[in-house]
Amino acid sequence: MRAAMGDDRETKRRGRVFDPDPSLFPSTWMPLRWLQIFAIAKAFATDPFQYRWCSPDSTEVIIPKLMRQYLVQLALGDEWHRVFLGEKRVGLGIVVIFCYFIALIWMVCTTFTIQAGAAFLLIPSILAAMISALVNVIVFLNR
């Protein structure tokens, strides 16, 4: 009986248990996913002679590089969702969201070398990643 009361006191002292609505993050990230797809498609559709900072001869290098970067940041974003919301491993979630943020910035920089308009379409994803990282850190510190 006392052990149960002690657990109850410990829960009250530490605060609420981390249990977010599982539909919260997917509903906010889906429009951003579509925006990312549109931005990458816009970069792919750019004529190589109109590339912003890279040579038209680098088409064989820059397009596969951008596609790899897109797939890496996509995988890291999905992994963060699984780790943070699925497994509720908040500490590991901070590491994964940081890697995701770096991959996203890397992809935006590469996109900017091809077409600035496509890169600017990725700015909301960067802001959402920053907010998600902040939420992850706050939950970690409040545990």
Side-chain angles (χ1 to χ4, degrees):
M1 180 84 173
R2 285 188 181 201
M5 289 175 57
D7 291 343
D8 188 39
R9 286 185 201 142
E10 181 68 21
T11 304
K12 286 181 183 177
R13 186 175 59 84
R14 285 189 344 188
R16 253 184 52 174
V17 177
F18 174 63
D19 192 24
D21 182 11
S23 64
L24 175 67
F25 285 97
S27 64
T28 55
W29 279 99
M30 285 312 293
L32 294 173
R33 280 286 159 88
W34 285 106
L35 200 57
Q36 287 176 357
I37 290 169
F38 181 71
I40 297 300
K42 186 173 180 168
F44 286 163
T46 303
D47 183 30
F49 291 103
Q50 294 180 348
Y51 283 175
R52 186 174 172 83
W53 283 347
C54 49
S55 164
D57 301 329
S58 66
T59 302
E60 292 79 25
V61 176
I62 197 76
I63 295 300
K65 179 181 176 182
L66 181 60
M67 191 63 195
R68 279 192 306 270
Q69 290 172 354
Y70 173 70
L71 293 175
V72 165
Q73 69 86 25
L74 189 67
L76 285 170
D78 289 344
E79 185 64 16
W80 174 78
H81 184 267
R82 184 184 67 80
V83 166
F84 184 64
L85 295 175
E87 296 179 7
K88 294 183 178 40
R89 296 176 66 189
V90 181
L92 183 60
I94 292 173
V95 174
V96 174
I97 195 77
F98 179 73
C99 293
Y100 170 70
F101 184 72
I102 297 298
L104 189 59
I105 294 291
W106 184 33
M107 184 183 76
V108 170
C109 291
T110 303
T111 305
F112 190 75
T113 63
I114 297 173
Q115 214 235 15
F120 287 123
L121 288 174
L122 296 170
I123 299 295
S125 296
I126 292 174
L127 295 174
M130 290 170 61
I131 291 168
S132 296
L134 181 64
V135 167
N136 200 152
V137 169
I138 288 170
V139 167
F140 180 76
L141 294 176
N142 285 335
R143 290 191 128 205

